Amino acid sequence: MCKVILAFVFVAACGTVAAAKNVPKFTVNLDLPPQERWTEVTLYWQDHIVGVADAVSTAMQDKFNETITEEWVSLVSASLSDDHREEIQVILDTLHGAGKTDLTLANLYMANFIYNLESPTMCSGFLAAMPNGTVIHGRNMDYAIHFTVHGEELDWPDVTYEVEFMRDGEHLFTSISWPG
């Protein structure tokens, strides 16, 4: 019943909802070194990651000049754990290895941390609940970000995927995510 109510609230808040569809599912094994955790996801979504990063960078270009961007990237990088910083760097390296050489670390940081930029054109989606279903924190993804991949205009529903995080062979949590 709770899931039905949440779905209704989501539809009511957003106004429209894309038809339900199966989304790709991935497993991220946190026992692996950071350099190996996101390779499958990165290669699967490589063109889409570039599309999202380009769209976010374009949305931010009026707000961020080169100096501000460099300072912001430095601050974000310093705030990340070594593992998180390595994961993002490896995503960039994997994309460069796949020929996506126009993407920069700044582009990738912006795509990953757009919600930290005071949601200049967007917000983000997040739900944390206790095992008994009590919601601790929730935020919906009620915006659109249009980007183009292979001449097709896409939006978040087109690139939604599910990630199961594992450690020590145990399921830790499942997350809905988007490339970037």
Side-chain angles (χ1 to χ4, degrees), residues 10-11 19 37 47-48 68 82 86 91 93 106 113 135 137 157:
F10 180 77
V11 171
R37 294 177 185 159
D47 294 327
H48 301 81
I68 292 172
D82 290 342
E86 279 186 62
I91 290 169
D93 294 345
F113 302 106
V135 174
H137 178 78

Side-chain angles (χ1 to χ4, degrees), residues 127-146:
L127 178 66
M130 295 172 47
N132 69 2
T134 302
V135 174
I136 298 168
H137 178 78
R139 191 183 317 165
N140 69 336
M141 188 160 211
D142 59 353
Y143 64 87
I145 182 166
H146 300 283

Side-chain angles (χ1 to χ4, degrees), residues 1-62:
M1 179 68 173
C2 184
K3 289 181 183 177
V4 173
I5 292 170
L6 285 176
F8 175 75
V9 170
F10 180 77
V11 171
C14 295
T16 62
V17 158
K21 66 177 184 175
N22 290 328
V23 298
K25 294 175 176 42
F26 300 93
T27 299
V28 171
N29 182 348
L30 297 174
D31 294 322
L32 293 174
Q35 302 87 342
E36 299 175 26
R37 294 177 185 159
W38 290 96
T39 303
E40 180 184 12
V41 175
T42 301
L43 291 174
Y44 184 92
W45 292 111
Q46 60 184 306
D47 294 327
H48 301 81
I49 293 170
V50 173
V52 168
D54 285 348
V56 171
S57 293
T58 298
M60 294 306 301
Q61 69 187 8
D62 292 342

Side-chain angles (χ1 to χ4, degrees), residues 10 112-116 119 121-127 137-143 156 178:
F10 180 77
N112 274 273
F113 302 106
I114 185 72
Y115 50 86
N116 290 38
S119 304
T121 60
M122 309 160 198
C123 68
S124 63
F126 180 81
L127 178 66
H137 178 78
R139 191 183 317 165
N140 69 336
M141 188 160 211
D142 59 353
Y143 64 87
W156 289 127
W178 300 272

